[in-house]
Amino acid sequence: FRRMDEAAEYFERAIALRPDFADAHKNLGFILIKSKETRKTGIKHLKTALKLDPNIPNRRHIEESIMWAEQE
């Protein structure tokens, strides 16, 4: 978990510097949806990534992950 926490911190810093960085939102979202405590925030980041980049690679996977997380 430590490496996941470190990765999350890097993505948060990247978003602070560049709020329009869709990949950072996507990656942070995938980290955060794994935990019940941070799942809602993770969903928000994934949705932000889709909004910022409608042509983001693996869009379908992101959408399916959001649907899964919203059901948990």
Side-chain angles (χ1 to χ4, degrees):
F1 289 110
R2 180 187 155 118
R3 294 188 72 79
M4 295 282 270
D5 290 342
E6 289 175 11
E9 286 180 31
Y10 285 114
F11 292 126
E12 287 170 347
R13 285 188 216 157
I15 291 167
L17 293 171
R18 247 186 73 202
D20 63 338
F21 189 8
D23 282 335
H25 282 283
K26 175 191 74 177
N27 293 329
L28 181 58
F30 277 128
I31 292 170
L32 296 177
I33 65 169
K34 294 179 188 298
S35 169
K36 270 192 172 183
E37 292 80 28
T38 58
R39 191 162 290 145
K40 286 183 183 180
T41 304
I43 292 168
K44 288 179 188 176
H45 281 285
L46 291 174
K47 287 182 175 180
T48 298
L50 294 175
K51 188 176 181 181
L52 289 171
D53 184 359
N55 299 314
I56 196 165
N58 300 314
R59 182 178 184 87
R60 176 91 175 172
H61 176 67
I62 297 167
E63 292 169 339
E64 289 171 354
S65 296
I66 291 168
M67 288 190 305
W68 170 83
E70 288 177 334
Q71 293 174 356
E72 288 296 308

